[in-house]
């Protein structure tokens, strides 16, 4: 029995070894290559994904840098526009003040000319009124003096005496 067990064991061992080798050959021919190809494809896919991720990261950094650059340019442009607007506003205010001053001076000169002409007109009117009043007073005085014959003669003598002295 021992012999049988030894022979059985040896035969079993040979058969198992042959089957194992046959299984390895079959696996190598039909399964090993597709498995290795799948593993290699998977490895290549992972490498490509990592490379794509790295490239995307670089692209994102470039986009971020570009957007920062654009943002800075926009800020600079906004500052330039605000500065220009302030300068235009200041110029408009200065021009408006100058124009208002010119208009004010012009109005003051016109008012002074109007006042002067009205003053002259008022003085002329007063002179006319004084002259009229003087004539009326002289008329009344002369009427009163000429109403009396003695006074008339005395006045004529006085006037003649004044003319002779001159």
């Amino acid at each position: 029995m021992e012999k049988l067990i030894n022979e059985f064991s040896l035969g079993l061992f040979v058969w198992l070894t042959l089957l194992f080798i046959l299984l390895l050959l079959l696996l190598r021919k039909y399964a090993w290559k597709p498995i290795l190809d799948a593993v290699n494809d998977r490895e290549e896919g992972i490498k490509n994904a990592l490379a794509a991720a790295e490239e995307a990261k670089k692209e994102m950094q470039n986009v971020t840098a570009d957007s920062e650059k654009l943002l800075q340019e926009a800020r600079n442009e906004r500052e330039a526009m605000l500065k220009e607007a302030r300068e235009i506003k200041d110029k408009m205010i200065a021009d408006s003040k100058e124009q208002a001053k010119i208009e004010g001076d012009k109005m003051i000169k016109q008012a002074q000319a109007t006042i002067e002409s009205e003053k002259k007109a008022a003085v002329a009117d007063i002179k006319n009124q004084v002259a009229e009043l003087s004539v009326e007073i002289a008329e009344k005085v002369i009427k009163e003096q000429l109403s009396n014959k003695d006074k008339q003669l005395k006045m004529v003598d006085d006037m003649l005496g004044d003319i002779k002295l001159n």
Side-chain angles (χ1 to χ4, degrees):
M1 201 147 118
E2 248 181 59
K3 196 175 176 189
L4 186 61
I5 292 179
N6 276 345
E7 280 181 28
F8 181 73
S9 293
L10 185 61
L12 183 62
F13 177 74
V14 170
W15 278 111
L16 282 175
T17 305
L18 281 177
L19 282 174
F20 183 71
I21 292 172
L22 182 66
L23 180 65
L24 282 178
L25 290 175
L26 284 173
L27 283 175
R28 183 170 183 222
K29 185 171 185 180
Y30 295 109
W32 197 259
K33 186 170 182 186
I35 290 173
L36 285 178
D37 287 343
V39 169
N40 287 337
D41 288 345
R42 173 95 173 154
E43 183 180 348
E44 189 66 30
I46 291 171
K47 284 181 184 176
N48 289 340
L50 288 173
E54 188 65 33
E55 190 173 321
K57 181 179 174 185
K58 286 180 184 176
E59 183 72 27
M60 191 64 159
Q61 288 173 344
N62 289 341
V63 167
T64 302
D66 288 346
S67 66
E68 283 295 323
K69 183 180 175 185
L70 287 174
L71 186 61
Q72 187 60 39
E73 287 175 4
R75 285 180 184 147
N76 292 341
E77 187 175 332
R78 181 193 65 177
E79 287 300 320
M81 290 173 72
L82 287 174
K83 182 180 178 185
E84 185 179 344
R86 277 188 227 108
E87 288 172 358
I88 289 172
K89 177 192 79 164
D90 292 342
K91 185 179 183 306
M92 288 175 67
I93 288 172
D95 289 348
S96 295
K97 284 181 180 178
E98 184 65 28
Q99 186 67 28
K101 185 177 184 294
I102 290 170
E103 290 295 321
D105 290 346
K106 191 176 182 182
M107 289 174 68
I108 288 171
K109 286 181 183 176
Q110 286 177 347
Q112 287 174 342
T114 303
I115 290 170
E116 190 62 33
S117 67
E118 288 180 8
K119 181 179 168 185
K120 286 179 183 178
V123 167
D125 188 40
I126 290 173
K127 284 181 181 179
N128 286 339
Q129 288 179 3
V130 167
E132 287 177 13
L133 285 175
S134 296
V135 169
E136 285 179 16
I137 291 172
E139 231 177 67
K140 286 182 182 178
V141 168
I142 291 175
K143 276 186 185 180
E144 186 180 310
Q145 287 185 356
L146 291 179
S147 63
N148 189 344
K149 194 172 184 167
D150 291 332
K151 285 185 182 179
Q152 284 178 8
L153 290 173
K154 183 176 187 246
M155 191 167 116
V156 171
D157 287 336
D158 289 341
M159 287 184 164
L160 288 175
D162 286 339
I163 293 176
K164 288 180 188 177
L165 293 175
N166 288 335

